[in-house]
Amino acid sequence: MKRALITGITGQDGRYLAELLVSKGYQVFGLLKGQANPKAQMIHTEIPQVELLAGDLTDLTSLVRVIETAQPDEVYNLAAISFVAMSFQQPELTANITGLGVLRVLEAIRIVGGSQNNPIRFYQASSSEMFGKVRETPQTEMTPFHPRSPYGCAKVFGHDITVNYRESYGLFACSGILFNHESERRGHEFVTRKITNAVARIKLGLQNELALGNLEPQRDWGHAEDYVEAMWLMLQQDEPDDYVVATGETHAVKEFVDKAFRRAGIDDYEQYVRVDPRFFRPAEVDLLVGDASKAEAKLGWHRRVSFDDLVHRMVDHDLKVESELVSRG
Ligand code: G4F
């Protein structure tokens, strides 16, 4: 039985990845930070096979202990301060967790080692935010980075240190440069879920308007369940490498808004949407669209969920959840 350790187990990607690995027969461990973390119960209920181990990306000793306990074949580092807007408010914390946290996990892997025949394999959750003010379109593994937020800067460090540990110490370390990926499990702070939840509430008469920031940025949005499969595939190859994971399509935030309202039967979104400068960022990433041909050719990875299906699934889910809340009173 293969063993895997996932940091960021309580997030959208951590939960989908844990389910995928359990379905493949892995013993899965999740790193859980904090005392009495309220999300532990959610993991116990949703994926009872997962064993949670206490540790923190800011504490190398705890990471060493967790890796010694889990004895993983594969480590997936998904934990991060992942909300770009928050990284402008707490840049130092973001650098410490999203950036230096990667270095600490790599060091812990180096210290514990794994067996000579079976060294620990490492996956780093890199991000299309690293491309920032893009130098070329579409973006590939070779596109230079120009991050536009403390989050993007921290992710560039995480990516570079992953490549450096691979080249310096021969670690089986891969970096997945994932473009935006969303789902019914996405946090409400991210724009897609903020939109679909508000659409559901407006449709049910629970809310009158949706306040958003910049509606012009374009993103390459896929479904998270497709993307965690790419993470796993990267660690099953003969050689470690870096891969862009994306759909190759880009859509403006306002297109997402329009499609989401239409799914709920509202044709004119403009009467409900208010642009609020509070949600604008000090620097914006205007356009992201990825070229995943390397992942498609080498990993055999293909996205299954289209942009329309993604929006429809999220809106339908939120309509169901909000209706249930109403009927429960
Ligand atoms: O949903 P977002 O907050 O995602 P963002 O900034 O693209 O980052 C996400 O994708 C990255 C991959 O490229 C990940 F690395 C990262 O961890 C995260 O998962 O914002 C998307 C766009 C931005 O341009 C933002 O300015 O939507 C715009 N937006 C407009 N109004 C808004 C809002 N974003 C949020 N969160 N809230 C708004 O009200």
Side-chain angles (χ1 to χ4, degrees), residues 15-288:
R15 290 152 69 196
Y16 280 124
L17 180 63
E19 284 171 349
L20 177 76
L21 297 180
V22 165
S23 78
K24 290 184 182 297
Y26 280 63
Q27 182 165 1
V28 178
F29 298 86
L31 182 82
L32 192 75
K33 72 168 180 188
Q35 199 179 324
N37 186 326
K39 291 184 176 164
Q41 191 51 49
M42 172 186 71
I43 299 296
H44 289 317
T45 309
E46 214 173 68
I47 326 162
Q49 300 89 339
V50 170
E51 188 173 328
L52 295 172
L53 300 172
D56 196 301
L57 280 202
T58 60
D59 177 3
L60 174 61
T61 317
S62 75
L63 297 174
V64 169
R65 197 169 296 127
V66 162
I67 291 177
E68 276 174 350
T69 306
Q71 293 291 322
D73 300 286
E74 298 169 8
V75 174
Y76 295 85
N77 184 41
L78 313 185
I81 303 282
S82 63
F83 185 33
V84 173
M86 181 177 157
S87 79
F88 286 103
Q89 306 300 327
Q90 300 189 40
E92 190 181 339
L93 182 70
T94 303
N96 195 7
I97 294 176
T98 307
L100 281 176
V102 187
L103 174 66
R104 295 191 191 97
V105 178
L106 286 164
E107 270 302 300
I109 289 173
R110 238 164 55 80
I111 291 166
V112 180
S115 75
Q116 243 182 359
N117 295 338
N118 192 20
I120 299 170
R121 295 184 168 207
F122 175 72
Y123 171 85
Q124 167 58 14
S126 287
S127 161
S128 55
E129 275 290 308
M130 301 189 303
F131 297 123
K133 193 171 182 182
V134 297
R135 308 272 183 89
E136 62 179 3
T137 295
Q139 295 86 50
T140 73
E141 295 79 7
M142 302 308 291
T143 303
F145 300 140
H146 186 146
R148 297 275 280 169
S149 61
Y151 168 83
C153 294
K155 281 287 179 187
V156 170
F157 174 77
H159 175 85
D160 285 344
I161 202 69
T162 299
V163 174
N164 178 256
Y165 270 52
R166 179 169 76 219
E167 293 175 354
S168 303
Y169 307 115
L171 229 67
F172 194 108
C174 299
S175 169
I177 306 174
L178 269 53
F179 282 62
N180 295 52
H181 44 287
E182 317 294 314
S183 75
E184 300 86 325
R185 287 174 173 171
R186 189 58 146 150
H188 287 73
E189 66 274 34
F190 298 97
V191 78
T192 54
R193 192 73 196 282
K194 183 176 171 182
I195 294 166
T196 60
N197 179 255
V199 163
R201 292 178 58 81
I202 288 169
K203 176 73 181 175
L204 297 170
L206 302 169
Q207 187 174 323
N208 299 323
E209 68 166 18
L210 166 60
L212 289 172
N214 193 344
L215 302 181
E216 303 303 325
Q218 290 173 250
R219 290 290 184 275
D220 180 331
W221 276 298
H223 195 286
E225 211 168 357
D226 285 347
Y227 286 44
V228 298
E229 201 188 345
M231 299 176 187
W232 175 77
L233 283 167
M234 286 178 215
L235 296 199
Q236 312 315 307
Q237 305 306 303
D238 292 337
E239 297 298 331
D241 207 343
D242 308 320
Y243 299 88
V244 158
V245 180
T247 71
E249 271 178 44
T250 191
H251 300 272
V253 172
K254 64 184 174 199
E255 266 182 86
F256 194 106
V257 175
D258 182 38
K259 223 170 254 307
F261 272 97
R262 283 182 194 280
R263 178 64 177 181
I266 302 170
D267 288 342
D268 178 16
Y269 76 82
E270 280 168 356
Q271 57 176 306
Y272 295 104
V273 172
R274 178 170 59 82
V275 172
D276 185 333
R278 281 185 307 139
F279 296 112
F280 279 66
R281 295 171 183 178
E284 183 56 87
V285 172
D286 296 323
L287 166 75
L288 290 174

